[in-house]
Amino acid sequence: MSYSFQIGVRYLRSKKRANVSMITLISIIGVALGVAALLAVLSITTGFENAFRDKVLGVNAHVLVLKYGREFRDYREVLRTVSDMDEVAGVAPFSINEMMFTKGERRAVVLVKGVTPKGLQTVLDLPNQMIAGNLEAHRRPGSHPTPTPPAPEDRTWQWLRTLKNNPTPEKGVRPLFERVKGDEGTEAGVDDEEVGAPGEQPVRRKTIWEEEAEQRTAQREAQRRARRANIGKVAKPNDIEAMLGEFDDDALALPDDPGWEAGLSQGQGQEPLDALPGIIVGKTLAEDLGVEVGDRVRLISPLAALGMALSEPGGASTRSREFRVIGVFQAGFQEYDSGLVYTDLFEAQRLFDEGDNVTGVELRVHDLDTSFALARRIEQDLGGAFHSLDWSELNRNLFTALEVQKIALTLVIATIIFVAAFNVIATLIMIVLEKKREIAILKAMGATDGTVLGIFMLQGVVVGVIGTFLGVLVGGGLIAYLDKIHYALDPKVYLIDHLPVVLNPTVFLVTIGIALLICTVSTIAPSWWAARMLPVDGLRYE
């Protein structure tokens, strides 16, 4: 064994060589406390970051493909394009909108997300989050997309094209100006070929926007009349008997549904419960509103829930629809458990009354680290009408705040190790002052500066190693205990219901590395001072 190592270990002890020096013991305890606190902070902050990421990705997909504007009816082409990419593990369309969720007199504002059965299995983690009910009745048999009415012909710039191709109005082509007979002739200085024959007064024709407004008004009026009940025509008894004769007794039997019968007694016929579309609600929402599997609930627009009736120009009233609760999920994230419900995409399209239109397309990838690059690639392949967001961009504020908090807490807790490092410096300085004569003798006997430097650096490193080892034991035990008991948190404040911790080897290695680095660096200055001491300085006053 090197004599510098032997001397360094001996200097760690007091003169009696039986007990550890008090200052050295304080240094070791300081390092241990700093390491334990730093290990706990890194494990908890990393746990929060991973918990939020898992909760967010459990409800949302890894990549979202959206389209500028409200119309996204060509989503099937997008599905075919992105599903062929090797990075994609699952892809599905979705529709989302804000509605009022009511049961009896209780109500809450929720986001209604329409998803497909395939999307539930391949894109979202909802099957693993179910705590009551099941997903078997998610889509009703025979359900199909809502047909989209044909869009009116876009003639916005047609009149300009007509003018360019036909400068002289021909038969069947409307001129820019129409003329009506007038009592006066044309004004002086006006060309007859430009304004028309004498005796006619030019009148501006209607713009294409005015024509579009009149056409849409006429369409809405026709739709309103088609929806209006045909009142005034009374069927004859023979006609009614002929119509009923086509049905058997089973077809005319009333459904065995107490809710439907209660609605009939109050003059409000309800759809049978089994015929209602299914809906899946969060655990917190179900507890707040007293909702259970099999209950009848209603989704309506927010203004109608406040008692304000809406009426569109075409005569359509506020959208409202009854649903049957088929399941309850728990994502573990308060924001989702209390404000998100799932239903079938086709039912959501009918509820939103937007035809075969979706909000976007969501994807799940095999490797989470490739989501950002895949989002940029999809934007390039689909063109300028589409834009993509990966999970980090979609929740940038949340994860940026968590990362900043993690760095700040790490720096604050690391100051405890810095304080312990100053104790190490103080310990080495006192040892150097106490051992000046021994240092002078060693230097006189031929010890090099490196040997003396190694003697005192060894003492600081040993203090750091012992303190780090004790800190890892204390901090690791604390983390294991918190992970076992699942320390409860208020989900309304922290968004999750228990304190998350991560028993990650990387966290342990980072903590050990920081502690040893601080303790080693703190020994350089006093050790270098001892190494540069001359023999005469130690023996001058002897």
Side-chain angles (χ1 to χ4, degrees):
M1 182 182 296
S2 174
Y3 72 92
S4 61
F5 181 81
Q6 294 178 348
I7 296 174
V9 172
R10 288 181 59 187
Y11 280 1
L12 285 173
R13 299 177 177 273
S14 62
K15 294 181 179 180
K16 296 181 179 180
R17 301 183 182 181
N19 299 318
V20 179
S21 171
M22 181 59 65
I23 299 179
T24 305
L25 180 61
I26 293 174
S27 302
I28 293 175
I29 294 176
V31 173
L33 291 177
V35 170
L38 182 59
L39 185 60
V41 166
L42 287 177
S43 298
I44 293 175
T45 53
T46 304
F48 268 103
E49 186 175 0
N50 293 345
F52 285 155
R53 185 188 65 184
D54 295 340
K55 302 304 181 185
V56 168
L57 294 180
V59 177
N60 298 306
H62 297 166
V63 179
L64 297 183
V65 181
L66 306 174
K67 188 175 182 180
Y68 293 105
R70 291 177 55 87
E71 301 293 333
F72 194 171
R73 306 188 188 278
D74 52 347
Y75 62 92
R76 292 179 177 83
E77 299 179 2
V78 176
L79 293 175
R80 288 191 292 268
T81 301
V82 300
S83 60
D84 295 335
M85 298 181 177
D86 297 334
E87 300 89 345
V88 177
V91 58
F94 73 96
S95 181
I96 193 167
N97 210 336
E98 190 175 42
M99 302 291 284
M100 292 295 295
F101 182 92
T102 65
K103 181 193 176 185
E105 298 298 328
R106 300 181 180 180
R107 62 190 61 183
V109 179
V110 298
L111 286 176
V112 181
K113 185 172 184 179
V115 292
T116 61
K118 182 180 178 181
L120 292 178
Q121 302 293 334
T122 60
V123 179
L124 303 178
D125 290 338
L126 187 61
N128 299 326
Q129 298 171 353
M130 297 293 294
I131 60 175
N134 54 67
L135 302 176
E136 296 179 358
H138 174 69
R139 171 167 291 179
R140 294 187 296 177
S143 183
H144 55 81
T146 302
T148 302
E153 182 183 359
D154 185 11
R155 306 196 317 274
T156 305
W157 304 106
Q158 184 61 37
W159 64 281
L160 288 177
R161 301 188 189 98
T162 303
L163 177 63
K164 177 181 179 181
N165 298 329
N166 301 280
T168 303
E170 300 177 356
K171 184 177 180 180
V173 179
R174 294 185 59 186
L176 292 178
F177 292 91
E178 296 179 349
R179 304 182 182 278
V180 297
K181 297 292 182 180
D183 296 335
E184 301 179 357
T186 58
E187 297 180 359
V190 179
D191 191 354
D192 290 344
E193 294 182 359
E194 182 178 351
V195 299
E200 295 182 353
Q201 182 179 0
V203 179
R204 184 183 66 85
R205 56 160 287 189
K206 295 180 180 179
T207 64
I208 188 64
W209 296 278
E210 293 173 343
E211 293 180 354
E212 286 291 338
E214 292 180 357
Q215 183 179 5
R216 292 180 180 177
T217 302
Q219 290 178 352
R220 289 194 293 265
E221 181 66 20
Q223 295 175 359
R224 184 182 63 82
R225 292 179 178 179
R227 288 193 296 265
R228 182 183 299 173
N230 194 1
I231 303 175
K233 295 182 179 181
V234 180
K236 297 180 181 180
N238 295 335
D239 297 335
I240 295 177
E241 292 180 359
M243 294 172 57
L244 296 178
E246 300 176 358
F247 300 94
D248 53 12
D249 295 338
D250 296 335
L252 296 176
L254 296 178
D256 186 13
D257 188 353
W260 189 82
E261 296 177 0
L264 285 181
S265 63
Q266 300 175 4
Q268 301 175 353
Q270 291 182 321
E271 200 173 348
L273 186 62
D274 294 339
L276 293 177
I279 191 171
I280 306 167
V281 303
K283 177 184 177 182
T284 305
L285 179 65
E287 293 175 350
D288 293 343
L289 274 62
V291 175
E292 297 179 355
V293 176
D295 287 351
R296 183 190 299 265
V297 297
R298 180 177 290 273
L299 291 177
I300 54 180
S301 63
L303 293 181
L306 297 176
M308 302 173 61
L310 292 178
S311 179
E312 298 178 357
S317 58
T318 303
R319 294 185 292 272
S320 174
R321 185 72 184 275
E322 285 188 334
F323 288 82
R324 175 171 58 93
V325 178
I326 62 173
V328 178
F329 72 92
Q330 183 180 10
F333 205 35
Q334 177 72 10
E335 184 176 356
Y336 297 137
D337 290 340
S338 62
L340 181 64
V341 298
Y342 292 94
T343 187
D344 182 38
L345 176 63
F346 299 158
E347 303 297 341
Q349 289 176 338
R350 294 186 181 91
L351 179 65
F352 303 153
D353 195 20
E354 295 181 352
D356 190 17
N357 186 46
V358 299
T359 303
V361 173
E362 51 188 1
L363 296 78
R364 177 175 288 270
V365 298
H366 295 288
D367 186 2
L368 196 61
D369 295 333
T370 63
S371 59
F372 181 80
L374 180 63
R376 304 288 77 78
R377 176 185 169 192
I378 292 175
E379 283 187 351
Q380 295 178 358
D381 293 347
L382 296 180
F386 299 89
H387 63 104
S388 303
L389 297 172
D390 74 317
W391 63 274
S392 60
E393 295 175 300
L394 189 62
N395 305 273
R396 184 183 300 275
N397 294 336
L398 173 62
F399 290 105
T400 300
L402 291 174
E403 189 66 25
V404 172
Q405 182 185 41
K406 180 179 179 179
I407 294 175
L409 289 176
T410 301
L411 293 177
V412 170
I413 301 301
T415 56
I416 299 178
I417 304 179
F418 280 107
V419 173
F422 279 103
N423 290 334
V424 174
I425 295 175
T427 302
L428 292 179
I429 291 176
M430 294 185 65
I431 293 177
V432 170
L433 294 175
E434 182 183 359
K435 305 297 183 181
K436 290 178 64 176
R437 186 177 62 177
E438 286 81 353
I439 295 173
I441 295 174
L442 289 174
K443 296 293 292 289
M445 293 175 62
T448 62
D449 293 347
T451 300
V452 178
L453 179 69
I455 292 173
F456 291 96
M457 285 195 65
L458 175 65
Q459 299 179 67
V461 171
V462 169
V463 170
V465 170
I466 296 176
T468 302
F469 176 75
L470 295 177
V472 169
L473 292 180
V474 175
L478 177 62
I479 295 171
Y481 175 74
L482 293 175
D483 183 52
K484 182 179 180 180
I485 66 173
H486 290 282
Y487 185 78
L489 297 177
D490 186 358
K492 295 182 180 180
V493 177
Y494 300 98
L495 301 179
I496 53 179
D497 54 2
H498 69 278
L499 184 67
V501 293
V502 173
L503 293 170
N504 191 343
T506 303
V507 175
F508 282 78
L509 293 177
V510 170
T511 304
I512 294 173
I514 293 175
L516 292 180
L517 178 63
I518 293 175
C519 293
T520 302
V521 172
S522 64
T523 62
I524 295 178
S527 300
W528 179 255
W529 176 49
R532 299 291 296 174
M533 185 179 298
L534 297 176
V536 67
D537 295 333
L539 299 174
R540 177 177 301 173
Y541 303 103
E542 295 298 330

